[in-house]
């Protein structure tokens, strides 16, 4: 399978690296909107300007689109689905139906397969929510995120006056997790599920208490949470907060039996040292699936819900049954 | 969807009960090898002798076959796949390829869809092993079972002279679980992963130390484990050991990054108050899927690996995307 990447940020670098862990895949090109001579890829694979992408059509089985959900993907994924099998990690939940419709018609017009909203949330967490709801139709869903870095919240802090740099960690509340895990079906407010921990490098002479106040009262991002702010040096920031760990847990709880007397707890948990590298690894498994589905003559847009699990592995159905069932 | 059950043991009673939690399903019949007048179903649904089953063909969308894997299912599932869409929980891992082949040819001959080896292990645990292997191709798998009742081990104890009744609990070793969860990738022997705890009601005058010795040294079942034996009264047994809880955890661990410097731990854990009722709940979700696949013209034998998750829920693809992705 010949893979190409569009974009060259953290996620793209994760894809580049993950290709080397999949023996049936080969990375052909990285496409960029920048001057390609300014992009030095880690693997040495050639960088090309995206304006030339269609001339490489025959050399690419799946194009992995590594852009932002706010403005890049809504435009890019439908555009390139006309010429390539494409996959993205679009994560603006509310706009998924609209994005799906656009990508679907482009992919169908081009006779390609596309898969959107892939990764771990949306992605694996969505799948586990689906399986949980199918198995326990009467029940409750819980999702906890963290401990991990939220890019959006870190960016929001960096926009505050006097802030030089910042990382925000989303932290699940241990007692809430324990209660869900014990099958107690608690009702939890936003504040009871997660806390937010911020590490901030202030500019010289900045008003620290004003920064702290701005963070803690920021609507949508922080005001509904218990937030802790730590001011640290640039040195400490570079030493301890360069990585992008993340993770979380999806639960489905419910009861069965004539009197619903038997309780069940289903938990799926991820502990990830690198959010972009894990997301990239999920993208590649699904890239394999859409390539195989395309070979079977399928076209159009799909999500993880539409992919039979057997398509994700580079083995025959017999081997998978013999070794994994 | 019209459901029928073949057999009327614990799993069948779980299915009977779970049908009432799925608004799109209706239980039509329970088929039994016994005299049907001797079978009083919990829901009041009619019991029929299995010899008459083909005359009810038009009234049944999926037949859930609730038999034992040792002798019942290898014979029953291929036999009834000729006339019905069927699903079973066949769990003799080594014989799955052979069972699959027989059921597949019967289902194809009859124009039906069959699904074998469904439940939580094999079943959900298998799925999670597959997803884990697809996402982290370089990594390790771990499966822990329990704390829960092993029917096979309980039966083995009951066959010992002097034993009136017995329940055996498989217990995962907490320190081993913690090490895997922490991403330490330990090498674990059989003894280091699980212990076995036995609650035994002895017959009057039985030689307790001989019973204990027989249990602890029993090849395949107990000799490779640290086993604890508790002799208890019939009263205590009936009070504390009537239920069939089970569960366990499937892990996939692995590393990504240029130097494989980022570790990831994927965990799927089940805590089940009732093993048969949870297994039944999984069976019904997949019964829905095979009914839908049959409506699309599919035939033959499948496993959980072949079912796109969207087929498990009684909602349209749009609804599923909007609510669960």
């Amino acid at each position: 399978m010949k893979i190409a990447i569009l974009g060259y940020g953290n996620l793209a670098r994760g894809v580049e690296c993950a290709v080397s862990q999949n023996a049936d895949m080969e990375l052909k090109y990285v496409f960029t909107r920048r001057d390609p001579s300014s992009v030095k890829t880690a693997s040495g694979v050639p960088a090309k300007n995206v304006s030339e992408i269609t001339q490489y059509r025959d050399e690419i089985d799946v194009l992995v689109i590594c852009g932002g959900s706010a403005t890049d993907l809504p435009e890019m994924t439908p555009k390139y689905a006309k010429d390539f099998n494409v996959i993205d990690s679009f994560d603006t939940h509310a706009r998924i139906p609209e994005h799906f419709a656009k990508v679907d018609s482009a992919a169908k017009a081009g006779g390609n397969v596309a898969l959107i909203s892939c990764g771990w949330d949306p992605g694996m967490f969505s799948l586990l929510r689906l399986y949980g709801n199918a198995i326990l139709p009467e029940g409750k869903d819980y999702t906890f995120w963290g401990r991990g870095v939220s890019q959006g919240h870190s960016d929001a802090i960096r926009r505050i006056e006097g802030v030089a740099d910042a990382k925000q960690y989303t932290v699940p509340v241990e007692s809430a997790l324990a209660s869900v895990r014990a099958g107690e079906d608690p009702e939890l407010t936003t504040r009871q599920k997660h806390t937010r921990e911020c590490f901030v490098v202030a500019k010289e002479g900045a008003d620290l208490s004003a920064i702290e106040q701005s963070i803690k009262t920021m609507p949508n991002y922080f005001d509904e949470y218990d937030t802790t702010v730590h001011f640290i040096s640039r040195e400490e920031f570079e030493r301890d907060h360069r990585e992008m760990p993340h993770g979380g847990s999806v639960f489905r709880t419910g009861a069965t039996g004539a009197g619903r007397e038997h309780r069940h707890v289903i938990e799926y948990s991820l502990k990830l040292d690198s959010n972009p590298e894990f997301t990239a690894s999920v993208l590649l498994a699904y890239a394999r699936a859409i390539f195989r589905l395309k070979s079977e003559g399928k076209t159009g847009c799909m999500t993880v819900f539409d992919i039979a699990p057997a398509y994700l592995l580079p083995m025959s159905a017999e081997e998978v049954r013999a070794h994994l069932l």
Side-chain angles (χ1 to χ4, degrees), chain A:
Chain A
M1 274 183 65
K2 291 162 287 177
I3 302 288
I5 300 170
L6 174 51
Y8 199 60
N10 288 322
L11 179 59
R13 273 182 275 263
V15 173
E16 182 180 21
C17 197
V19 167
S20 72
Q21 298 190 285
N22 287 280
D24 59 335
M25 297 186 189
E26 183 193 356
L27 184 61
K28 298 292 286 185
Y29 302 103
V30 167
F31 293 96
T32 172
R33 285 174 292 190
R34 292 179 265 171
D35 171 4
S37 69
S38 74
V39 174
K40 202 181 147 7
T41 63
S43 61
V45 82
K48 304 280 179 192
N49 190 277
V50 69
S51 62
E52 302 166 8
I53 194 167
T54 47
Q55 74 191 69
Y56 298 96
R57 255 178 78 155
D58 297 341
E59 295 179 60
I60 297 165
D61 293 320
V62 180
L63 178 65
V64 184
I65 306 186
C66 299
S69 292
T71 55
D72 296 341
L73 299 177
E75 181 244 326
M76 285 175 168
T77 312
K79 179 172 177 183
Y80 297 107
K82 291 198 190 81
D83 291 309
F84 300 93
N85 299 311
V86 294
I87 182 164
D88 79 16
S89 59
F90 185 77
D91 67 358
T92 311
H93 289 260
R95 296 185 60 196
I96 286 174
E98 175 194 342
H99 188 53
F100 184 94
K102 281 186 193 159
V103 175
D104 189 49
S105 67
K108 280 182 179 148
N112 294 311
V113 179
L115 193 137
I116 62 160
S117 301
C118 189
W120 59 273
D121 194 10
M124 298 310 298
F125 274 17
S126 322
L127 269 181
L128 271 288
R129 280 189 279 267
L130 188 156
Y131 282 121
N133 277 265
I135 297 169
L136 297 174
E138 299 173 1
K140 294 187 80 165
D141 296 295
Y142 295 91
T143 304
F144 291 87
W145 292 274
R147 185 177 195 227
V149 174
S150 163
Q151 217 53 54
H153 288 79
S154 302
D155 291 345
I157 298 172
R158 277 194 289 267
R159 285 190 294 264
I160 294 170
E161 199 185 315
V163 171
D165 216 337
K167 271 266 167 90
Q168 193 270 184
Y169 295 83
T170 305
V171 185
V173 174
E174 274 304 323
S175 59
L177 260 175
S179 173
V180 172
R181 212 167 258 148
E184 295 169 358
D185 277 5
E187 294 291 338
L188 297 167
T189 63
T190 298
R191 192 177 299 272
Q192 287 169 327
K193 288 180 70 185
H194 298 92
T195 58
R196 300 198 174 277
E197 201 173 355
C198 313
F199 294 84
V200 179
V201 181
K203 289 180 183 159
E204 220 177 293
D207 179 345
L208 302 190
S209 72
I211 291 174
E212 182 164 347
Q213 194 59 18
S214 298
I215 295 172
K216 290 185 170 178
T217 58
M218 197 186 294
N220 304 318
Y221 286 87
F222 293 98
D223 62 339
E224 288 182 68
Y225 298 86
D226 290 334
T227 301
T228 318
V229 179
H230 307 278
F231 289 99
I232 60 175
S233 66
R234 166 61 67 183
E235 194 181 23
E236 186 179 339
F237 189 85
E238 294 298 336
R239 188 190 66 212
D240 298 340
H241 301 284
R242 294 195 54 185
E243 299 282 343
M244 283 171 287
H246 218 315
S249 306
V250 168
F251 291 89
R252 178 72 176 178
T253 62
T256 62
R260 307 296 185 258
E261 67 276 20
H262 294 127
R263 299 205 47 76
H264 308 288
V265 178
I266 306 173
E267 173 177 359
Y268 180 74
S269 285
L270 299 174
K271 286 199 205 82
L272 314 174
D273 275 359
S274 166
N275 182 354
E277 289 176 6
F278 187 83
T279 302
S281 300
V282 179
L283 285 171
L284 284 187
Y286 280 92
R288 176 181 293 119
I290 65 172
F291 173 62
R292 294 173 64 181
L293 286 160
K294 166 75 172 280
S295 329
E296 292 180 7
K298 300 284 192 305
T299 63
C301 189
M302 303 183 180
T303 73
V304 293
F305 298 151
D306 304 306
I307 307 293
Y311 284 98
L312 300 172
L313 284 177
M315 295 181 208
S316 71
E318 291 74 23
E319 283 177 286
V320 175
R321 277 197 299 275
H323 295 112
L324 293 170
L325 198 63

Coordinates of all heavy atoms in Angstrom, one line a residue, chain A residues 145 153 168-171 173 189-197 215-228:
Chain A
W145 N -11.6 12.1 29.9 CA -10.4 12.3 29.2 C -9.3 12.6 30.1 O -9.4 13.3 31.1 CB -10.6 13.5 28.2 CG -11.6 13.2 27.1 CD1 -11.3 12.6 25.9 CD2 -13.0 13.5 27.1 NE1 -12.5 12.5 25.2 CE2 -13.5 13.0 25.9 CE3 -13.9 14.1 28.0 CZ2 -14.9 13.2 25.5 CZ3 -15.2 14.2 27.7 CH2 -15.7 13.8 26.5
H153 N -7.2 24.0 24.7 CA -7.1 24.8 26.0 C -5.8 25.5 26.1 O -5.7 26.6 26.6 CB -7.4 23.9 27.2 CG -8.9 23.5 27.2 ND1 -9.4 22.6 26.5 CD2 -9.9 24.0 28.0 CE1 -10.7 22.5 26.7 NE2 -11.0 23.4 27.7
Q168 N -2.0 22.9 28.9 CA -3.1 22.6 29.8 C -3.4 21.1 29.8 O -3.5 20.5 28.8 CB -4.4 23.4 29.3 CG -5.5 23.4 30.3 CD -6.5 22.2 30.2 OE1 -7.5 22.2 30.9 NE2 -6.3 21.3 29.3
Y169 N -3.4 20.6 31.0 CA -3.7 19.2 31.2 C -5.2 19.0 31.7 O -5.6 19.6 32.7 CB -2.8 18.5 32.2 CG -1.3 18.5 31.7 CD1 -0.5 19.6 31.9 CD2 -0.8 17.4 31.0 CE1 0.8 19.7 31.4 CE2 0.5 17.4 30.6 CZ 1.3 18.6 30.8 OH 2.6 18.6 30.3
T170 N -5.9 18.1 31.0 CA -7.2 17.7 31.4 C -7.0 16.5 32.3 O -6.3 15.6 31.9 CB -8.1 17.4 30.2 OG1 -8.1 18.5 29.3 CG2 -9.5 17.0 30.6
V171 N -7.6 16.6 33.5 CA -7.4 15.5 34.5 C -8.7 14.9 35.0 O -9.6 15.7 35.5 CB -6.6 16.1 35.7 CG1 -6.2 14.9 36.7 CG2 -5.4 16.8 35.3
V173 N -11.3 13.2 37.4 CA -11.4 13.2 38.9 C -11.4 11.7 39.3 O -12.4 10.9 39.0 CB -12.7 13.9 39.4 CG1 -12.9 13.8 40.9 CG2 -12.6 15.4 39.0
T189 N -21.7 16.2 37.4 CA -21.6 17.5 36.7 C -20.3 17.6 36.0 O -19.4 16.8 36.2 CB -21.7 18.7 37.7 OG1 -20.6 18.6 38.5 CG2 -23.0 18.6 38.5
T190 N -20.2 18.6 35.1 CA -18.9 18.8 34.4 C -17.8 19.0 35.4 O -16.7 18.4 35.2 CB -19.1 20.2 33.6 OG1 -20.1 19.9 32.6 CG2 -17.8 20.5 32.8
R191 N -18.0 19.7 36.4 CA -17.0 20.0 37.4 C -16.6 18.7 38.2 O -15.4 18.6 38.6 CB -17.5 21.0 38.5 CG -16.5 21.6 39.4 CD -17.1 22.7 40.3 NE -17.6 23.8 39.6 CZ -16.9 24.9 39.2 NH1 -15.7 25.0 39.5 NH2 -17.5 25.9 38.5
Q192 N -17.5 17.8 38.3 CA -17.2 16.6 39.1 C -16.4 15.6 38.3 O -15.9 14.6 38.8 CB -18.5 16.0 39.6 CG -19.1 16.8 40.8 CD -20.5 16.3 41.1 OE1 -21.3 15.9 40.2 NE2 -20.9 16.4 42.4
K193 N -16.4 15.8 37.0 CA -15.7 14.7 36.1 C -14.2 15.0 35.9 O -13.4 14.1 35.8 CB -16.5 14.6 34.8 CG -17.8 13.9 34.9 CD -18.5 13.7 33.6 CE -17.8 12.7 32.7 NZ -18.4 12.7 31.3
H194 N -13.9 16.3 35.6 CA -12.6 16.7 35.2 C -12.1 17.9 36.0 O -12.9 18.8 36.2 CB -12.5 17.0 33.7 CG -12.8 15.8 32.9 ND1 -14.1 15.6 32.4 CD2 -12.0 14.8 32.4 CE1 -14.1 14.4 31.7 NE2 -12.8 13.9 31.7
T195 N -10.8 18.0 36.2 CA -10.2 19.3 36.6 C -9.2 19.7 35.5 O -8.9 18.9 34.6 CB -9.4 19.1 38.0 OG1 -8.4 18.1 37.8 CG2 -10.3 18.7 39.1
R196 N -8.8 20.9 35.6 CA -7.8 21.4 34.6 C -6.6 22.0 35.2 O -6.7 22.8 36.2 CB -8.5 22.5 33.7 CG -9.8 21.9 33.0 CD -10.2 22.8 31.8 NE -11.3 22.2 31.0 CZ -11.1 21.2 30.1 NH1 -9.9 20.8 29.8 NH2 -12.2 20.7 29.5
E197 N -5.4 21.6 34.7 CA -4.2 22.0 35.3 C -3.4 22.7 34.3 O -3.1 22.1 33.2 CB -3.5 20.7 35.8 CG -2.4 21.0 36.9 CD -1.8 19.8 37.5 OE1 -2.3 18.6 37.2 OE2 -0.9 19.9 38.3
I215 N -7.6 33.1 33.1 CA -7.8 31.6 32.7 C -9.0 31.1 33.4 O -9.9 30.5 32.8 CB -6.5 30.8 33.2 CG1 -5.3 31.3 32.4 CG2 -6.7 29.3 33.0 CD1 -3.9 30.7 32.9
K216 N -9.0 31.3 34.8 CA -10.1 30.6 35.6 C -11.5 31.0 35.2 O -12.4 30.2 35.4 CB -9.8 30.8 37.0 CG -8.5 30.0 37.5 CD -8.4 30.2 39.1 CE -7.3 29.2 39.5 NZ -7.0 29.4 41.0
T217 N -11.6 32.2 34.7 CA -13.0 32.7 34.4 C -13.3 32.6 32.9 O -14.4 33.0 32.5 CB -13.2 34.1 34.8 OG1 -12.2 34.9 34.2 CG2 -13.0 34.3 36.3
M218 N -12.4 32.0 32.1 CA -12.7 32.0 30.7 C -13.9 31.1 30.3 O -13.9 29.9 30.6 CB -11.4 31.4 29.9 CG -11.4 31.7 28.4 SD -10.0 30.9 27.7 CE -8.6 31.7 28.4
P219 N -14.9 31.7 29.7 CA -16.1 31.0 29.4 C -15.9 29.8 28.4 O -14.9 29.8 27.6 CB -17.0 32.0 28.7 CG -16.4 33.3 28.8 CD -15.0 33.1 29.1
N220 N -16.6 28.7 28.6 CA -16.5 27.5 27.8 C -15.3 26.7 28.1 O -15.3 25.5 28.3 CB -16.6 27.8 26.3 CG -17.8 28.5 25.9 OD1 -18.9 28.2 26.4 ND2 -17.7 29.5 25.0
Y221 N -14.1 27.4 28.2 CA -12.9 26.6 28.4 C -12.6 26.2 29.8 O -12.2 25.1 30.1 CB -11.7 27.4 27.8 CG -11.6 27.4 26.3 CD1 -12.3 28.4 25.6 CD2 -10.9 26.5 25.7 CE1 -12.3 28.4 24.2 CE2 -10.8 26.5 24.3 CZ -11.5 27.5 23.6 OH -11.4 27.5 22.2
F222 N -12.8 27.2 30.8 CA -12.4 26.9 32.1 C -13.4 27.2 33.2 O -13.3 26.7 34.3 CB -11.1 27.7 32.5 CG -9.9 27.3 31.7 CD1 -9.5 27.9 30.5 CD2 -9.2 26.2 32.1 CE1 -8.4 27.5 29.8 CE2 -8.1 25.7 31.4 CZ -7.7 26.4 30.2
D223 N -14.4 28.1 32.9 CA -15.3 28.6 34.0 C -16.1 27.5 34.7 O -16.4 27.6 35.9 CB -16.2 29.7 33.5 CG -17.1 29.3 32.4 OD1 -16.8 28.3 31.8 OD2 -18.1 30.0 32.2
E224 N -16.3 26.4 34.0 CA -17.1 25.3 34.6 C -16.2 24.3 35.3 O -16.8 23.2 35.8 CB -18.0 24.6 33.6 CG -19.2 25.5 33.1 CD -20.0 24.7 32.1 OE1 -20.6 23.7 32.6 OE2 -20.0 25.0 30.9
Y225 N -15.0 24.5 35.4 CA -14.0 23.5 36.0 C -13.3 24.1 37.2 O -13.1 25.3 37.3 CB -13.0 23.1 34.9 CG -13.6 22.4 33.8 CD1 -14.1 23.2 32.7 CD2 -13.8 21.0 33.7 CE1 -14.7 22.6 31.6 CE2 -14.3 20.4 32.6 CZ -14.8 21.2 31.5 OH -15.4 20.6 30.5
D226 N -12.8 23.2 38.0 CA -11.8 23.6 39.0 C -10.4 23.6 38.3 O -10.0 22.5 37.8 CB -11.8 22.6 40.2 CG -13.1 22.7 41.0 OD1 -13.7 23.8 41.0 OD2 -13.5 21.7 41.7
T227 N -9.8 24.8 38.3 CA -8.6 24.9 37.5 C -7.5 25.3 38.4 O -7.6 26.2 39.3 CB -8.9 26.0 36.4 OG1 -9.9 25.6 35.6 CG2 -7.6 26.3 35.6
T228 N -6.3 24.7 38.2 CA -5.1 25.1 38.9 C -4.1 25.7 37.9 O -3.9 25.2 36.8 CB -4.4 23.8 39.5 OG1 -5.4 23.0 40.0 CG2 -3.4 24.2 40.6

